[in-house]
Amino acid sequence: MMMSEYYGWIFLIVSMVISMSCFISLLIFSRFSMKRIERRMVQEGLALPRWDGWGGYRVFYYAFAIVWHYKAERMPLINAEATRRLATKTDWYLALWTVVSGGGFLLCLIIFGIFIDK
Protein backbone atom coordinates (compact mmCIF):
# COMPACT_ATOMS: atom_id res chain seq x y z
CA MET A 1 0.00 0.00 0.00
CA MET A 2 1.17 3.49 -0.72
CA MET A 3 0.00 6.74 0.81
CA SER A 4 -0.61 9.67 -1.44
CA GLU A 5 2.00 12.39 -1.25
CA TYR A 6 -0.39 14.81 0.45
CA TYR A 7 -1.22 12.39 3.26
CA GLY A 8 2.44 11.49 3.50
CA TRP A 9 3.37 15.08 4.30
CA ILE A 10 0.56 15.39 6.82
CA PHE A 11 1.68 12.16 8.47
CA LEU A 12 5.28 13.40 8.53
CA ILE A 13 4.33 16.65 10.26
CA VAL A 14 2.02 14.96 12.77
CA SER A 15 4.55 12.25 13.57
CA MET A 16 7.32 14.84 14.06
CA VAL A 17 5.13 16.77 16.52
CA ILE A 18 4.26 13.56 18.39
CA SER A 19 7.91 12.46 18.42
CA MET A 20 9.11 15.78 19.80
CA SER A 21 6.35 15.71 22.41
CA CYS A 22 7.44 12.22 23.45
CA PHE A 23 11.10 13.15 23.78
CA ILE A 24 10.34 16.37 25.66
CA SER A 25 7.97 14.56 28.04
CA LEU A 26 10.62 11.92 28.73
CA LEU A 27 13.18 14.58 29.58
CA ILE A 28 10.84 16.61 31.78
CA PHE A 29 9.34 13.61 33.59
CA SER A 30 12.71 12.01 34.28
CA ARG A 31 14.37 15.26 35.32
CA PHE A 32 11.66 16.60 37.61
CA SER A 33 9.31 13.82 38.74
CA MET A 34 11.59 10.79 38.81
CA LYS A 35 14.49 12.66 40.35
CA ARG A 36 12.29 14.05 43.14
CA ILE A 37 10.57 10.70 43.79
CA GLU A 38 13.87 8.82 43.91
CA ARG A 39 15.39 11.43 46.22
CA ARG A 40 12.45 11.01 48.61
CA MET A 41 12.81 7.21 48.40
CA VAL A 42 16.45 7.52 49.48
CA GLN A 43 15.41 9.77 52.39
CA GLU A 44 12.95 7.07 53.50
CA GLY A 45 15.64 4.41 53.24
CA LEU A 46 14.08 2.54 50.30
CA ALA A 47 16.20 0.80 47.68
CA LEU A 48 16.32 2.45 44.25
CA PRO A 49 16.00 0.47 41.04
CA ARG A 50 19.30 0.77 39.19
CA TRP A 51 18.86 -2.00 36.65
CA ASP A 52 18.92 0.24 33.58
CA GLY A 53 21.59 2.84 34.10
CA TRP A 54 20.59 6.49 34.47
CA GLY A 55 16.98 6.43 33.36
CA GLY A 56 16.10 4.43 30.30
CA TYR A 57 13.08 2.15 30.52
CA ARG A 58 12.63 3.02 34.17
CA VAL A 59 10.96 6.26 33.05
CA PHE A 60 8.05 4.35 31.53
CA TYR A 61 7.79 2.05 34.55
CA TYR A 62 7.44 5.04 36.87
CA ALA A 63 4.91 6.68 34.53
CA PHE A 64 2.82 3.51 34.27
CA ALA A 65 2.93 3.01 38.04
CA ILE A 66 1.71 6.56 38.63
CA VAL A 67 -1.01 6.62 35.97
CA TRP A 68 -2.47 3.11 36.19
CA HIS A 69 -1.87 2.15 39.83
CA TYR A 70 -0.31 -1.20 39.01
CA LYS A 71 0.14 -3.55 41.92
CA ALA A 72 3.62 -4.50 43.09
CA GLU A 73 3.24 -8.02 41.71
CA ARG A 74 2.82 -6.63 38.20
CA MET A 75 5.80 -4.24 38.47
CA PRO A 76 8.58 -6.09 40.29
CA LEU A 77 11.35 -3.89 38.89
CA ILE A 78 10.34 -0.74 40.77
CA ASN A 79 8.64 0.05 44.07
CA ALA A 80 5.21 0.91 42.65
CA GLU A 81 3.53 1.64 45.99
CA ALA A 82 6.22 4.10 47.06
CA THR A 83 6.22 5.69 43.61
CA ARG A 84 2.46 6.35 43.77
CA ARG A 85 2.62 7.50 47.38
CA LEU A 86 5.39 10.02 46.68
CA ALA A 87 3.93 11.32 43.41
CA THR A 88 2.13 14.66 43.34
CA LYS A 89 -0.73 15.73 41.06
CA THR A 90 1.83 17.42 38.78
CA ASP A 91 3.74 14.16 38.58
CA TRP A 92 0.50 12.43 37.56
CA TYR A 93 -0.02 14.91 34.71
CA LEU A 94 3.59 14.57 33.56
CA ALA A 95 3.29 10.77 33.73
CA LEU A 96 0.07 10.88 31.71
CA TRP A 97 1.78 13.08 29.10
CA THR A 98 4.68 10.62 28.95
CA VAL A 99 2.42 7.58 28.54
CA VAL A 100 0.13 9.17 25.92
CA SER A 101 2.96 10.66 23.85
CA GLY A 102 4.93 7.42 24.09
CA GLY A 103 1.90 5.50 22.82
CA GLY A 104 1.46 8.01 20.00
CA PHE A 105 5.11 7.66 19.06
CA LEU A 106 4.77 3.87 18.99
CA LEU A 107 1.62 4.16 16.86
CA CYS A 108 3.43 6.44 14.38
CA LEU A 109 6.24 3.90 14.10
CA ILE A 110 3.75 1.10 13.40
CA ILE A 111 1.90 3.15 10.77
CA PHE A 112 5.19 4.11 9.16
CA GLY A 113 6.21 0.46 9.09
CA ILE A 114 2.96 -0.55 7.41
CA PHE A 115 2.94 2.14 4.72
CA ILE A 116 6.64 2.41 3.93
CA ASP A 117 7.48 1.95 0.26
CA LYS A 118 9.31 -1.30 -0.28
Side-chain angles (χ1 to χ4, degrees):
M1 295 170 109
M2 194 171 151
M3 279 198 267
S4 71
E5 190 172 332
Y6 175 74
Y7 291 117
W9 280 105
I10 290 175
F11 175 72
L12 177 67
I13 292 168
V14 169
S15 62
M16 286 178 63
V17 169
I18 291 172
S19 299
M20 291 307 297
S21 175
C22 179
F23 296 133
I24 291 169
S25 73
L26 287 172
L27 288 172
I28 290 174
F29 182 74
S30 65
R31 180 71 178 151
F32 295 109
S33 297
M34 274 182 57
K35 186 174 182 178
R36 189 187 54 73
I37 289 170
E38 288 184 344
R39 191 177 320 124
R40 299 254 332 259
M41 286 175 139
V42 168
Q43 289 173 352
E44 292 183 3
L46 300 171
L48 293 180
R50 293 289 181 202
W51 46 267
D52 71 336
W54 77 237
Y57 293 114
R58 203 168 72 239
V59 176
F60 287 108
Y61 275 89
Y62 277 91
F64 286 130
I66 292 170
V67 172
W68 278 304
H69 302 285
Y70 282 138
K71 296 183 180 182
E73 303 87 44
R74 294 187 64 193
M75 299 194 86
L77 298 175
I78 66 167
N79 190 340
E81 284 87 12
T83 300
R84 282 194 308 274
R85 181 172 44 82
L86 297 173
T88 63
K89 194 66 169 171
T90 304
D91 295 333
W92 187 86
Y93 286 118
L94 289 174
L96 182 65
W97 179 27
T98 302
V99 169
V100 170
S101 64
F105 179 70
L106 187 61
L107 183 64
C108 286
L109 287 177
I110 291 170
I111 291 171
F112 181 75
I114 291 171
F115 289 105
I116 192 168
D117 295 332
K118 296 185 182 189

